[in-house]
Each structure stands twice: as structure tokens, then as C-alpha cells.
Amino acid sequence: MRKRLFLLYCVCGFQTLHAQFHLVTQALDQLSKQTPYTKADISFTLLDNQEGKRLISYQSDRLLAPASTLKTFTTATALKVLGPDFRYHTNVVFIGQIKSGIAKGLLRIDASGDPTFGSDRFDNTKPERIKSLIVEALRKKGIQKLFGKIEVHGKVFDDSSIHSCWLDEDIGNYYGAGLYALNWRENKFEITLIPTKTSFVVENNTANYQNDRDFCIELIHKEDATTEEAFAFIEKGKSCPYVIRGVLSAKESSHNMQLARLAPAQDFVMELKQPLQKEFSFQEMAISHSGPDEKMLDIVSPPLAEMVYWCNQKSLNLYAEAFCKTIAQKLFRKANWFLGTRAMLRYASASGLPIGASDLKDGSGLCENNRISTALLSGLLRQFTREKFFPSFYSSLPSINGLNMKSGYIGGTRAYAGYITLCDSTKASFAFIIHGYSCPPRDVKLAMFRILDLLK
């Protein structure tokens, strides 16, 4: 009797799942016929984590831009190649002479590409903490006065700081910040915009730049417009480093925007001078700094697992790009985007996944030219469940609409990728991308959520 009941339960469970899969496929067909999606590419893949079987395959092999869902690929590959306990090291070195409490020479910061240096997300990386660690290290050497120079050294990466495929309206904003040997405060800062009769002015900025010199404001008033419709451009030939264009509501008394730092190492040195002047009467001057290198301090990043958590939770492009290039450095001794993305695809291929014509340009998904299929992306997610690092990776994914998944949005693309438990307790991996729709992104998000809800 028990055996018959078990068999009946299995049959009913199979029929329920089969009906669910049919409903999802039907919903995808119906969506593709709606006016905003008639010219859109819609791709959805659902895989059984245990056996790897495709439970749903809807235009699964179509190559599309993954947007920020690419970060799942990058962060998992980093955990695999570098290990969850990997840390970046930034060394502080003094070259010169220290006599009777007076130090003369060069204070050198050997950068490592650490994306968390000066970040507020971790106790040991906060800007004031880092500056105080340097002050304490100098004190321990008996230094009472300091004369000379401060320099940042370290050619960590082999290519440009800003990717050539990133859009002009992205690279001046915080999410499009470049990756440098020394990164500071996640390479972002904030400005406060105050409305005028026809446009806006910068009243304050947290990087201590010149409000009237460094920002050219070309914003236009538009009712109810938010800072999501205002962008910072970096243009050669302009009298100011940042040109702010777009539309913004003049009803509010002020707006805050986060922009990208263009010279984080320089900004760090300027900030460091202040506590050094206060504590050691630091004077900047040209002094011969012959002598042995004396290591003062090793500033260590949080472990990779913690960095991955924030990278996926807050979709931090800077972190993902650092991981991508650091993977290349570890495997090929050259840290650049090309080798980093090749290493990611090599990991997929070594896992037995067909990479086909997949083409990756960066690690964050900010480049619109990235191309990957939902078949490969979901296959990777399933592969991650078989790796030792999976608990760290899984906990890094945001909880969105009741699912552990990463979202992505760029240039007419909305994407989701993650994990779902089906009605019969089957654990599954999925990837879902829609590109080329003609309606507000919020409408696409809700439509995608409704389809995913059919599987719960």
C-alpha cells in the first residue's frame, strides 16, 4: 500500500511539474506576442541541479548581453581560482633616513589593485582607519617630524583603467569608475546640486574639488526627473573634468549625485597629507631618499568571500573588474580584461560546459558587447553548486522577489540569474534575459517576476 501511494505521489508530482513547465513556456510565448516585446529577444533556461537536465529551454542558446548577472560568473571564478581567503596587500614603505626622530625621504605606497582600500563597507578599510594605521606605523618607528614626498607605486594592471567599450554616459558616474593600481573610497564621491533659474550649480563635493572649476553643469529642468536621468561625462577639450548633462527636477531644494574619481591615488595622497601634517609637521620637499627600503605597514583587504558578498549584494562593478584582472594575474602573470575573461570561459569549458560563441569583454557586465547564453549562464550556476566555495557564493546573492538571484539591467536589457526550489523540492538553476523591449524597465521586471512566480 505504501509503495502504491509513493508511486502515486511521484506521478502526481511529475504531472504538477510538467504542468508548471508548460505554463511557463506558454507565458513566455504570450509575452513575446505583446506589443512591447514583439521585437525583443527572450531567453530562459531552467536546469535541474542534480542531473543537469534542461527542464525549460526557451531560446536558450541565443547570445545576449548578461548585464550584471555576469557578476555571478566573475565572482564564482574568482572564488575558484583565488580561493575564499585571498586578500590584497598594500604595503607602506619608507626610503631615507631617520635620525633623532626626524625622517627625511620618500613615503611610498605600493598599491595592489585592492578595490576595498578606503571603502566604508568594512571596519578595517574605512578611510580614517587606513590613515590612522599609517600614522601609528610611523610613530612606532620613532618618527616625530617628516620631510620629503609621498608617492604611490605599483603597475598592477596591464591595460587601461577604463574599458574602451564602456559608454560615455557611464564612465563619469560612480558605477562606471575605472580600476586603478590604488583605488580610494571605491573611486567615487558625491556632489550636491542646487537648482538655479535655468539649471543647477554644485554647492558641495566630498572629494574637495573646486565646485566652480571642476564641474560644467548643462542640466535642464524637467518636472519629476531624478538623478537617474542625469549623467556625468568625461570629455577631452573641456575646461572642467566633469560635464553633467541630462534633466533634473528643480522642485527639490537639492539633489545628490555620485561620480567617479578620475585620479584616486592623487586624492588619497592629498587626504593622507592632512594627518601627517598634524601629527608629524609633514613638509613636502625634494629630498634625496637613498637608503634601504623599510617596510612600515602591510594593509590587508578583507578575505575574498567577504568582497564577493558585497560585490553581488550591491552589484559593485569596481570589485568585479578587480576580480577579473586578478584572476588573469594569478593564471597568466598578466592582469588585463582579455586574459581575465578568457580564464572565466576556460573555467566553464573545463567544467564540461559548451561555451560556443560566447564573447566576454569585462567582468562586471557594464560593457554592452558582452554576449552569453542563458544555457551557459544557468549551466555555470548549476556547476557552482558542486564546488567547495558554493556556500559563500550562494550567500552572496541578493534575495529578490523571494529568490536568491542576481539582477542585471543595461541598454534595453533586463536579466535575472540564480536559484529556485520547485514545488516538489527540486533544486534548480535558472537564467532569464529579455533584450530589446519598448516599455519602461519596471514593466519588464514585473513581467519577469510573474513568470518566475509560476515556478514557485
Short mmCIF file of all heavy atoms in Angstrom, two decimals, residues 61-67 70 73 163 165 324 337-346 348 354-373 376-377 380:
data_model
loop_
_atom_site.label_atom_id
_atom_site.label_comp_id
_atom_site.label_asym_id
_atom_site.label_seq_id
_atom_site.Cartn_x
_atom_site.Cartn_y
_atom_site.Cartn_z
N ASP A 61 19.91 29.11 -26.36
CA ASP A 61 21.26 29.26 -26.91
C ASP A 61 21.50 30.61 -27.59
O ASP A 61 22.55 30.83 -28.18
CB ASP A 61 21.53 28.12 -27.90
CG ASP A 61 21.49 26.76 -27.23
OD1 ASP A 61 22.09 26.63 -26.15
OD2 ASP A 61 20.84 25.84 -27.77
N ARG A 62 20.52 31.48 -27.48
CA ARG A 62 20.67 32.82 -28.08
C ARG A 62 21.68 33.63 -27.27
O ARG A 62 21.60 33.68 -26.03
CB ARG A 62 19.32 33.52 -28.13
CG ARG A 62 19.36 34.89 -28.79
CD ARG A 62 18.00 35.31 -29.26
NE ARG A 62 17.51 34.42 -30.32
CZ ARG A 62 16.38 34.64 -30.99
NH1 ARG A 62 15.63 35.69 -30.72
NH2 ARG A 62 16.01 33.80 -31.93
N LEU A 63 22.62 34.28 -27.95
CA LEU A 63 23.64 35.07 -27.26
C LEU A 63 23.12 36.48 -27.00
O LEU A 63 22.76 37.20 -27.94
CB LEU A 63 24.92 35.12 -28.10
CG LEU A 63 25.63 33.78 -28.30
CD1 LEU A 63 26.78 33.92 -29.29
CD2 LEU A 63 26.15 33.24 -26.97
N LEU A 64 23.12 36.87 -25.73
CA LEU A 64 22.60 38.17 -25.32
C LEU A 64 23.53 38.81 -24.29
O LEU A 64 24.38 38.13 -23.69
CB LEU A 64 21.20 38.01 -24.72
CG LEU A 64 20.12 37.43 -25.64
CD1 LEU A 64 18.86 37.11 -24.84
CD2 LEU A 64 19.80 38.39 -26.78
N ALA A 65 23.35 40.11 -24.08
CA ALA A 65 24.12 40.80 -23.04
C ALA A 65 23.60 40.39 -21.66
O ALA A 65 22.40 40.51 -21.41
CB ALA A 65 24.00 42.31 -23.23
N PRO A 66 24.46 39.92 -20.78
CA PRO A 66 24.01 39.47 -19.47
C PRO A 66 23.84 40.58 -18.44
O PRO A 66 23.28 40.35 -17.37
CB PRO A 66 25.11 38.51 -19.03
CG PRO A 66 26.34 39.07 -19.67
CD PRO A 66 25.89 39.65 -20.99
N ALA A 67 24.35 41.80 -18.77
CA ALA A 67 24.36 42.91 -17.79
C ALA A 67 25.02 42.40 -16.50
O ALA A 67 25.96 41.61 -16.56
CB ALA A 67 22.96 43.45 -17.57
N LEU A 70 26.37 38.85 -15.11
CA LEU A 70 27.72 38.35 -15.40
C LEU A 70 28.56 38.28 -14.13
O LEU A 70 29.51 37.49 -14.06
CB LEU A 70 28.40 39.25 -16.44
CG LEU A 70 29.80 38.82 -16.90
CD1 LEU A 70 29.76 37.44 -17.56
CD2 LEU A 70 30.40 39.84 -17.85
N PHE A 73 29.24 34.87 -12.71
CA PHE A 73 30.32 34.15 -13.39
C PHE A 73 31.67 34.61 -12.86
O PHE A 73 32.54 33.81 -12.51
CB PHE A 73 30.19 34.40 -14.89
CG PHE A 73 31.00 33.49 -15.78
CD1 PHE A 73 30.88 33.58 -17.17
CD2 PHE A 73 31.87 32.54 -15.26
CE1 PHE A 73 31.60 32.75 -18.02
CE2 PHE A 73 32.61 31.71 -16.10
CZ PHE A 73 32.47 31.81 -17.47
N HIS A 163 37.49 50.75 -19.46
CA HIS A 163 37.33 49.89 -20.64
C HIS A 163 36.83 50.71 -21.83
O HIS A 163 35.94 51.55 -21.70
CB HIS A 163 36.34 48.77 -20.34
CG HIS A 163 36.51 47.57 -21.21
ND1 HIS A 163 36.35 47.61 -22.58
CD2 HIS A 163 36.85 46.29 -20.91
CE1 HIS A 163 36.56 46.41 -23.08
NE2 HIS A 163 36.87 45.58 -22.09
N CYS A 165 34.95 49.87 -24.15
CA CYS A 165 33.57 49.59 -24.57
C CYS A 165 32.54 50.18 -23.62
O CYS A 165 31.34 50.09 -23.89
CB CYS A 165 33.35 48.08 -24.72
SG CYS A 165 33.15 47.20 -23.16
N CYS A 324 38.28 40.12 -11.97
CA CYS A 324 38.54 39.64 -13.33
C CYS A 324 40.03 39.75 -13.67
O CYS A 324 40.65 38.79 -14.15
CB CYS A 324 37.70 40.44 -14.33
SG CYS A 324 37.95 39.98 -16.07
N TRP A 337 41.83 42.64 -18.95
CA TRP A 337 40.47 42.15 -19.19
C TRP A 337 40.46 40.96 -20.15
O TRP A 337 39.71 40.01 -19.92
CB TRP A 337 39.60 43.27 -19.76
CG TRP A 337 38.96 44.12 -18.72
CD1 TRP A 337 38.10 43.72 -17.74
CD2 TRP A 337 39.13 45.54 -18.55
NE1 TRP A 337 37.71 44.81 -16.97
CE2 TRP A 337 38.33 45.92 -17.45
CE3 TRP A 337 39.86 46.51 -19.21
CZ2 TRP A 337 38.24 47.25 -17.00
CZ3 TRP A 337 39.78 47.82 -18.78
CH2 TRP A 337 38.99 48.18 -17.68
N PHE A 338 41.27 41.01 -21.19
CA PHE A 338 41.23 39.95 -22.18
C PHE A 338 41.55 38.59 -21.54
O PHE A 338 40.82 37.62 -21.71
CB PHE A 338 42.22 40.25 -23.32
CG PHE A 338 42.30 39.14 -24.34
CD1 PHE A 338 41.32 39.00 -25.31
CD2 PHE A 338 43.35 38.23 -24.30
CE1 PHE A 338 41.38 37.97 -26.24
CE2 PHE A 338 43.41 37.20 -25.24
CZ PHE A 338 42.43 37.07 -26.20
N LEU A 339 42.64 38.54 -20.79
CA LEU A 339 43.04 37.27 -20.18
C LEU A 339 42.12 36.88 -19.04
O LEU A 339 41.88 35.69 -18.80
CB LEU A 339 44.49 37.37 -19.70
CG LEU A 339 45.55 37.45 -20.80
CD1 LEU A 339 46.93 37.64 -20.20
CD2 LEU A 339 45.51 36.22 -21.69
N GLY A 340 41.58 37.87 -18.34
CA GLY A 340 40.64 37.57 -17.26
C GLY A 340 39.37 36.92 -17.77
O GLY A 340 38.90 35.91 -17.22
N THR A 341 38.81 37.47 -18.82
CA THR A 341 37.58 36.89 -19.39
C THR A 341 37.86 35.55 -20.06
O THR A 341 37.02 34.66 -20.05
CB THR A 341 36.93 37.86 -20.38
OG1 THR A 341 37.88 38.26 -21.39
CG2 THR A 341 36.42 39.11 -19.67
N ARG A 342 39.07 35.40 -20.66
CA ARG A 342 39.43 34.10 -21.24
C ARG A 342 39.53 33.04 -20.14
O ARG A 342 39.14 31.89 -20.34
CB ARG A 342 40.78 34.18 -21.98
CG ARG A 342 40.81 35.07 -23.20
CD ARG A 342 39.98 34.58 -24.37
NE ARG A 342 38.57 34.82 -24.28
CZ ARG A 342 37.98 36.01 -24.43
NH1 ARG A 342 38.70 37.08 -24.68
NH2 ARG A 342 36.67 36.13 -24.34
N ALA A 343 40.04 33.43 -18.99
CA ALA A 343 40.15 32.50 -17.86
C ALA A 343 38.77 32.07 -17.39
O ALA A 343 38.56 30.90 -17.03
CB ALA A 343 40.93 33.14 -16.72
N MET A 344 37.83 33.01 -17.39
CA MET A 344 36.46 32.66 -16.99
C MET A 344 35.86 31.64 -17.94
O MET A 344 35.27 30.64 -17.51
CB MET A 344 35.61 33.94 -16.94
CG MET A 344 35.99 34.88 -15.80
SD MET A 344 35.32 36.56 -15.98
CE MET A 344 33.56 36.23 -16.04
N LEU A 345 36.03 31.86 -19.24
CA LEU A 345 35.49 30.92 -20.22
C LEU A 345 36.21 29.57 -20.16
O LEU A 345 35.62 28.52 -20.41
CB LEU A 345 35.57 31.53 -21.62
CG LEU A 345 34.62 32.70 -21.88
CD1 LEU A 345 34.93 33.38 -23.21
CD2 LEU A 345 33.16 32.25 -21.85
N ARG A 346 37.50 29.62 -19.81
CA ARG A 346 38.24 28.37 -19.68
C ARG A 346 37.71 27.55 -18.51
O ARG A 346 37.63 26.32 -18.60
CB ARG A 346 39.74 28.67 -19.48
CG ARG A 346 40.62 27.43 -19.54
CD ARG A 346 42.09 27.77 -19.52
NE ARG A 346 42.57 28.08 -18.19
CZ ARG A 346 43.87 28.18 -17.88
NH1 ARG A 346 44.78 28.03 -18.83
NH2 ARG A 346 44.24 28.47 -16.65
N ALA A 348 34.63 27.56 -17.48
CA ALA A 348 33.36 26.99 -17.95
C ALA A 348 33.62 25.76 -18.82
O ALA A 348 32.98 24.72 -18.67
CB ALA A 348 32.58 28.04 -18.73
N PRO A 354 29.60 23.79 -22.83
CA PRO A 354 29.92 24.31 -24.16
C PRO A 354 29.81 25.84 -24.18
O PRO A 354 28.74 26.39 -23.96
CB PRO A 354 28.86 23.67 -25.06
CG PRO A 354 27.70 23.38 -24.15
CD PRO A 354 28.28 23.11 -22.79
N ILE A 355 30.93 26.50 -24.43
CA ILE A 355 30.91 27.97 -24.40
C ILE A 355 30.50 28.56 -25.74
O ILE A 355 30.12 29.73 -25.82
CB ILE A 355 32.28 28.54 -23.96
CG1 ILE A 355 33.38 28.12 -24.93
CG2 ILE A 355 32.61 28.08 -22.55
CD1 ILE A 355 34.74 28.73 -24.62
N GLY A 356 30.57 27.77 -26.80
CA GLY A 356 30.11 28.23 -28.11
C GLY A 356 30.76 29.53 -28.53
O GLY A 356 31.97 29.71 -28.42
N ALA A 357 29.94 30.47 -28.97
CA ALA A 357 30.43 31.76 -29.45
C ALA A 357 30.36 32.84 -28.37
O ALA A 357 30.37 34.03 -28.69
CB ALA A 357 29.64 32.20 -30.69
N SER A 358 30.28 32.44 -27.10
CA SER A 358 30.24 33.42 -26.00
C SER A 358 31.41 34.37 -26.12
O SER A 358 32.54 33.97 -26.42
CB SER A 358 30.29 32.70 -24.66
OG SER A 358 29.19 31.83 -24.50
N ASP A 359 31.17 35.64 -25.86
CA ASP A 359 32.21 36.66 -26.00
C ASP A 359 32.10 37.62 -24.82
O ASP A 359 31.11 38.35 -24.70
CB ASP A 359 32.04 37.41 -27.32
CG ASP A 359 33.19 38.36 -27.61
OD1 ASP A 359 34.24 38.24 -26.94
OD2 ASP A 359 33.04 39.23 -28.48
N LEU A 360 33.10 37.61 -23.96
CA LEU A 360 33.09 38.47 -22.79
C LEU A 360 34.16 39.56 -22.92
O LEU A 360 35.27 39.28 -23.37
CB LEU A 360 33.35 37.65 -21.51
CG LEU A 360 32.39 36.48 -21.25
CD1 LEU A 360 32.74 35.79 -19.94
CD2 LEU A 360 30.94 36.97 -21.23
N LYS A 361 33.80 40.76 -22.52
CA LYS A 361 34.70 41.91 -22.62
C LYS A 361 35.19 42.38 -21.25
O LYS A 361 36.28 42.92 -21.12
CB LYS A 361 34.00 43.07 -23.32
CG LYS A 361 33.44 42.73 -24.70
CD LYS A 361 34.53 42.36 -25.68
CE LYS A 361 33.96 42.13 -27.08
NZ LYS A 361 35.00 41.70 -28.04
N ASP A 362 34.35 42.26 -20.22
CA ASP A 362 34.72 42.71 -18.89
C ASP A 362 34.16 41.75 -17.85
O ASP A 362 33.59 40.71 -18.20
CB ASP A 362 34.25 44.15 -18.64
CG ASP A 362 32.72 44.31 -18.67
OD1 ASP A 362 32.01 43.29 -18.59
OD2 ASP A 362 32.23 45.45 -18.78
N GLY A 363 34.33 42.09 -16.58
CA GLY A 363 33.88 41.20 -15.53
C GLY A 363 32.60 41.61 -14.84
O GLY A 363 32.00 40.83 -14.10
N SER A 364 32.17 42.85 -15.08
CA SER A 364 31.01 43.37 -14.36
C SER A 364 29.73 43.32 -15.16
O SER A 364 28.63 43.39 -14.59
CB SER A 364 31.27 44.84 -13.96
OG SER A 364 31.32 45.67 -15.12
N GLY A 365 29.84 43.25 -16.49
CA GLY A 365 28.65 43.31 -17.34
C GLY A 365 28.32 44.71 -17.80
O GLY A 365 27.30 44.92 -18.47
N LEU A 366 29.20 45.68 -17.47
CA LEU A 366 28.92 47.06 -17.87
C LEU A 366 29.06 47.26 -19.38
O LEU A 366 28.44 48.16 -19.95
CB LEU A 366 29.87 48.01 -17.12
CG LEU A 366 29.60 49.51 -17.24
CD1 LEU A 366 28.21 49.87 -16.73
CD2 LEU A 366 30.66 50.31 -16.49
N CYS A 367 29.86 46.43 -20.03
CA CYS A 367 30.01 46.52 -21.47
C CYS A 367 28.80 45.92 -22.17
O CYS A 367 28.44 44.76 -21.92
CB CYS A 367 31.29 45.81 -21.91
SG CYS A 367 31.57 45.89 -23.69
N GLU A 368 28.19 46.67 -23.05
CA GLU A 368 27.01 46.19 -23.77
C GLU A 368 27.36 45.11 -24.79
O GLU A 368 26.46 44.42 -25.29
CB GLU A 368 26.31 47.36 -24.48
CG GLU A 368 25.62 48.33 -23.54
CD GLU A 368 24.80 49.36 -24.29
OE1 GLU A 368 25.30 49.87 -25.31
OE2 GLU A 368 23.69 49.66 -23.86
N ASN A 369 28.65 44.95 -25.11
CA ASN A 369 29.06 43.99 -26.12
C ASN A 369 29.30 42.59 -25.56
O ASN A 369 29.65 41.68 -26.31
CB ASN A 369 30.33 44.47 -26.82
CG ASN A 369 30.11 45.77 -27.58
OD1 ASN A 369 29.00 46.05 -28.01
ND2 ASN A 369 31.14 46.57 -27.73
N ASN A 370 29.16 42.40 -24.25
CA ASN A 370 29.26 41.05 -23.69
C ASN A 370 28.16 40.19 -24.29
O ASN A 370 27.02 40.64 -24.46
CB ASN A 370 29.09 41.08 -22.17
CG ASN A 370 30.29 41.67 -21.46
OD1 ASN A 370 31.41 41.23 -21.69
ND2 ASN A 370 30.06 42.65 -20.59
N ARG A 371 28.48 38.93 -24.58
CA ARG A 371 27.48 38.01 -25.13
C ARG A 371 27.61 36.64 -24.47
O ARG A 371 28.69 36.06 -24.44
CB ARG A 371 27.64 37.87 -26.65
CG ARG A 371 27.27 39.11 -27.44
CD ARG A 371 25.77 39.41 -27.35
NE ARG A 371 25.39 40.58 -28.12
CZ ARG A 371 25.34 41.81 -27.63
NH1 ARG A 371 25.67 42.03 -26.36
NH2 ARG A 371 24.96 42.82 -28.39
N ILE A 372 26.49 36.16 -23.95
CA ILE A 372 26.45 34.85 -23.32
C ILE A 372 25.03 34.32 -23.43
O ILE A 372 24.08 35.11 -23.58
CB ILE A 372 26.90 34.93 -21.83
CG1 ILE A 372 27.25 33.55 -21.27
CG2 ILE A 372 25.86 35.63 -20.98
CD1 ILE A 372 27.90 33.61 -19.90
N SER A 373 24.86 33.02 -23.38
CA SER A 373 23.52 32.44 -23.47
C SER A 373 23.01 32.10 -22.08
O SER A 373 23.79 31.88 -21.14
CB SER A 373 23.55 31.17 -24.32
OG SER A 373 24.31 30.15 -23.66
N LEU A 376 24.35 28.69 -21.00
CA LEU A 376 25.66 28.67 -20.35
C LEU A 376 25.59 29.27 -18.95
O LEU A 376 26.16 28.72 -18.00
CB LEU A 376 26.68 29.43 -21.20
CG LEU A 376 28.10 29.54 -20.60
CD1 LEU A 376 28.65 28.17 -20.24
CD2 LEU A 376 29.03 30.27 -21.56
N LEU A 377 24.87 30.37 -18.81
CA LEU A 377 24.80 31.04 -17.51
C LEU A 377 24.13 30.14 -16.47
O LEU A 377 24.62 30.01 -15.33
CB LEU A 377 24.04 32.36 -17.65
CG LEU A 377 24.22 33.40 -16.54
CD1 LEU A 377 25.68 33.67 -16.25
CD2 LEU A 377 23.52 34.70 -16.94
N LEU A 380 26.48 27.28 -15.59
CA LEU A 380 27.51 27.70 -14.64
C LEU A 380 26.96 27.71 -13.22
O LEU A 380 27.60 27.23 -12.28
CB LEU A 380 28.03 29.08 -15.03
CG LEU A 380 28.99 29.12 -16.21
CD1 LEU A 380 29.07 30.52 -16.79
CD2 LEU A 380 30.37 28.63 -15.78
#
